Structure formats: structure tokens, C-alpha cells
Amino acid sequence: MIQLATPEIWFVCGSQHLYGEEALKEVVQNARAVAVGLYESQKIPLKITFKALLTTPDEIRALMLEANGNVNCAGLMLWMHTFSPSKMWIAGLSSLQKPFCHLHTQFNRDLPWETIDMDFMNLNQAAHGDREAGFLHSRMRLGRKVVVGHWRDPEVQDRLAAWTRAVRGWHDLQGAKFARFGDNMRNVAVTEGDKVAFEMRFGAAVNGYGVGDLVQKVNFVSEAAVDALCAEYERLYEVGRELQADGARHEELRDGARIELGMRAFLEEGGFKGFTTSFEDLHGLKQLPGLAVQRLMADGYGFGGEGDWKTAILLRAMKVMDAGLPGGTSFMEDYTYHLSPSGHQVLGSHMLEVCPSISDAKPKLEIHPLGIGGKADPVRLVFNAHPGSAINASLVDMGNRFRLIVNEVEVVTHPELPKLPVARAVWECKPDFKTACAAWIYAGGAHHTGFSYGVTAEIMEDFAEIAGIELVVIDDDTRLRELKTELRQNDLYYVLAQGLRN
């Protein structure tokens, strides 16, 4: 994946000098063993580094400031092995700008019933210390994730892994750049938004570039580079007969290859992690970029159609969170419905731009007419998405806040679609089609989404917590009456939330 950093999580243990130096030495040994054990579980995608045992306010504040300034530190994992009076943590946590997770565990799994004494009790009192820490975190209104259970418990490690993936996605956005080729589709509301507020909240910058800047890169591509890329297409995909080297429309495949190479050059030279295009703004390009966008997404770039920069950024974050997991992640759109009495389904697709990472087989590379954009027929990859559990996610600007909507879905097999020349997925919504669609519409979810098999609702919940944004999850437990009440209460909460922090 392009520009995929591998930052680390700092494991920090809290205690005090009340119990003597020998006790603190044992605390350090235990904390280091927990950090190493979590990393060696291979479930957590980032390195867990034991950073320090903190026992004084000055130590705590100094480490928090160090974390803020260390670009390789993505977040902190906190554990109060013994008892760490939480007033010591106020100055440090007030300064901390990185996300943190509170791990409520203890070194030993079982109590040594026959030998337990007060020395053991004084040393192993996370049940005491973590409650003290938890009060302070809540009193300071600090967003965090709390994970409870023994550190060797697979479920505990899974929950820590989910948080770590969310942290990685967040870390990747800090200072990230996204390019908009052209503007938003005219008269569309949901793809608009406040880019200044977005950068203040998420740390990612979005700027516009003329399509002519892209065209310059496309026109500069050499014929030798086009030859090499077309040969790569032949190796990776089932290339339609007419697009092959001796086919009647091979030159149009070469046009698609030039666009891909030009876009790659532009994005690489600018250090961008994602981009948007618009079929209403293609001056100088021979085709609407289809194949190019699909392949760039497969390499990890975020993308949004019709100038949808919020979805481009969301998709990049989801790609990073998904790294190393099976299934794939793609730009998507809820396109049309199958409303049979035997079961309601969604057909998801887009004009051209669905990522081949979700394909169930070797994609076909084809060329077909496109009724919008006013350009030549574009080349594209055609395939079905594979069955499995997935999520559909939308990030929208509600004016005074950003809202992340997540729907859990089940992708299913479907009849052949011989006359639909685009990549597609068919899924069934949770808890059911009618409830899910109504909930999505009540919440203001967009038609463009980030679609992923690897990223879960829990990961997205952790991401929303880190970002400090509203989250709406539509799953098996969703009831419309309760969801409407939740949305009304959220409107009030986000007006008052800043005052509640004092």
C-alpha cells in the first residue's frame, strides 16, 4: 500500500513509590511482559513498545509531551498495575494530543488462593488503580477506549487490535494531502462540506487542482511506459479481445493506460493519499478515468466520485485500517434495489470506480459506452464482489459536526448480470432492508460510501471516538424509534459538549 507507515503504540504503566523499589522493579518486569505478549500475539498490527513506568506528575507530563512530538508514536495504552493516584495524571493527560486506550487487566490470570498475602494484594491491584484512573478520565471528559479482561484473552487482544487499527487510520490522516481534480458535481448537496472544519477535526488537507494540471502529466507519458502497463494488464486481467494488442480498440486501452500513468505521476509527485474526479470536469482527457481509479484504489489511494472529498478521505482511512486483513475495501454507492417479497437486497456499484480488492475472481478488462461525461468510451474492470460480512460507511457534514454512519451488511451471491458492464456487489442489510434504509436516511447518510470486509463496526466506533465525531451504527440491534430518539439527543449533546468538558 502506498505511503503506509508503521508507527508504534507506547505501553505505559502507572504506579507510585508507596510500595518500595523492589515492588516497582517487579511492576516494570510485568508491564514489559504484557507489552511483549500483546505484540507477539500477532493480532495487533502495530508494535507495542513498553515505554515507561510512571510514578510522579512530572514524569507523566514529560512523557505525554514526548508522545505529542514523536511522529512514530500513534497512541498510548495505559495500565495501572498497582495504584496510581490519578491527580498525578491531570497535567499530563491535559497535554496529551494522541489517542489512548485504557487496558483494565492484571498480570496474573488466576488468584493464588493458598499463598495470597498482603504483599501480593498491594502489588496486584489494577482493580483499584484502574478505577481511580477511570474516574479521572471521565471527570476530564476524555475520549478513550476501555478494554477489560486478562491480556492473554483472545477477545481482549481482538478488541485491542480493533483500536490499534483505528489509531493507525487516524495517524495516517495527520498531515495527509488529498487532491480534487475539478469541482463537485453541480447541485449535489451531500458531497459539499466545510474543508476548513474538516482539516481542523481530522488533520487532512483537501485542495483543488485544474484538470489541465492532470492532462499535462498524461500528455507527458512515454509510449514505452504505455507498452509496459498494457502488458501488465494482459498479465493481471482477462482483457477483452478488442482491447488486446491486435484488437480494433487497443488504442483506447492505451488511452486508459496514459491516464493511469499521468494520475500516478501527479499523485506521487505531490505526496497525495487520495483524490476525486468529476464526470462534469474532464476537459483535455479522452475518457472518464475508470480503470485508473480502480487500480489506484487497489494500491491504497482514497477516492470519491463527483468531487466527494469526504468519502475519498474516509476510504483512505479505511484502507489503512484494513491493511493486512482479507476481503478488501472499496468506494461504493447504493445504486438500485431488488425488492422481491422473498428478500430485499441492495445492488451496489458505481459508473466505473469499484476497487478490484473486493473481486471474487480475476477481473475482466472491458470497454463500454458511458452515457454521461461526453467523452470516449472508458475502459474499466468488471467483476462481482465476493460474499461475506462487510460494512457500508458514510461520513457527512451536519453543519455543526461530522457524523459517521455505519451499516453492517452481508454480501451475497446473485444471478449473472451479462448486460451490466460495471463492477458490483449485492448485499442484505442488517437488521433488515426497510429498517436499515430508513435509519440511513434519518441519519442523513450519503449515497457514496466506504465499503469494507475487513474494517468492522467496532473499528469505526474507535475511529469516531478518536476523532471526536458522532457515530451512528445500524446493525442487528437497531430499532427506528430508538434511533430517532438517539439522533435528537445527539443534536443537543453536540451543542453542549464543549461546555461539559470544564
Side-chain angles (χ1 to χ4, degrees), residues 60-135:
I60 295 167
R61 185 170 186 273
L63 186 130
M64 300 303 171
L65 293 175
E66 181 185 353
N68 291 343
N70 192 314
V71 296
N72 197 45
C73 174
L76 278 66
M77 197 175 295
L78 306 184
W79 175 40
M80 305 304 130
H81 184 300
T82 51
F83 181 71
S84 181
S86 65
K87 282 184 67 178
M88 296 196 305
W89 291 75
I90 292 174
L93 291 175
S94 296
S95 304
L96 182 64
Q97 298 171 357
K98 298 288 178 77
F100 76 93
C101 172
H102 186 185
L103 175 59
H104 184 43
T105 190
Q106 62 187 30
F107 184 69
N108 57 295
R109 190 193 69 178
D110 303 322
L111 285 177
W113 299 103
E114 296 182 358
T115 61
I116 189 170
D117 56 16
M118 284 309 300
D119 288 339
F120 182 93
M121 295 280 279
N122 287 334
L123 184 65
N124 298 279
Q125 52 174 312
H128 184 188
D130 280 331
R131 281 171 166 77
E132 166 75 357
F135 165 74

Side-chain angles (χ1 to χ4, degrees), residues 1-2 172-173 176-185 191 198 206 211 214 259-260 263-264 267 272-282 285 287-320 329-333 335 349-357 370 372 379-380 392-395 423 446-451:
M1 178 184 293
I2 56 103
D172 181 79
L173 290 185
K177 298 189 297 182
F178 291 79
R180 296 170 65 236
F181 294 119
D183 205 345
N184 298 57
M185 180 179 173
T191 55
F198 194 96
V206 185
V211 178
L214 172 59
I259 292 173
E260 177 181 339
M263 293 185 86
R264 283 188 183 277
L267 296 171
F272 296 104
K273 293 182 177 179
F275 63 101
T276 69
T277 62
S278 174
F279 66 89
E280 290 180 331
D281 202 342
L282 296 172
L285 293 176
Q287 305 172 8
L288 172 64
L291 174 63
V293 172
Q294 291 178 294
R295 285 173 47 83
L296 288 164
M297 273 195 288
D299 288 342
Y301 285 99
F303 171 76
E306 293 95 57
D308 188 352
W309 52 271
K310 294 188 298 298
T311 300
I313 297 172
L314 175 64
L315 183 63
R316 168 61 186 188
M318 293 175 71
K319 287 276 189 183
V320 172
T329 295
S330 178
F331 176 70
M332 188 60 71
E333 178 173 289
Y335 222 104
S349 185
H350 203 252
M351 294 180 295
L352 305 172
E353 308 97 338
V354 177
C355 179
S357 67
L370 184 68
I372 58 176
V379 290
R380 81 289 301 269
N392 219 17
S394 171
L395 182 60
H447 54 283
H448 290 163
T449 61
F451 177 88

Side-chain angles (χ1 to χ4, degrees), residues 449-472:
T449 61
F451 177 88
S452 179
Y453 293 88
V455 181
T456 63
E458 181 179 10
I459 296 174
M460 297 300 275
E461 178 182 1
D462 293 341
F463 179 80
E465 184 71 59
I466 292 167
I469 62 172
E470 181 184 3
L471 174 72
V472 177

Side-chain angles (χ1 to χ4, degrees), residues 17 43 53 72 79 148 207 238 259 304 346 380 457 481 486 502:
H17 288 276
K43 289 191 173 187
L53 172 65
N72 197 45
W79 175 40
V148 178
N207 287 292
E238 293 185 17
I259 292 173
V346 178
R380 81 289 301 269
R481 187 177 292 114
E486 174 188 341
N502 298 324

Side-chain angles (χ1 to χ4, degrees), residues 1-48:
M1 178 184 293
I2 56 103
Q3 300 187 56
L4 181 62
T6 54
E8 60 185 14
I9 303 296
W10 286 3
F11 191 93
V12 177
C13 188
S15 187
Q16 59 178 315
H17 288 276
L18 182 64
Y19 308 110
E21 293 305 312
E22 288 303 314
L24 291 180
K25 289 179 181 178
E26 187 170 347
V27 169
V28 169
Q29 291 175 355
N30 292 350
R32 183 175 283 110
V34 172
V36 171
L38 290 174
Y39 179 61
E40 289 181 347
S41 74
Q42 298 185 343
K43 289 191 173 187
I44 298 174
L46 297 180
K47 183 179 181 181
I48 309 295

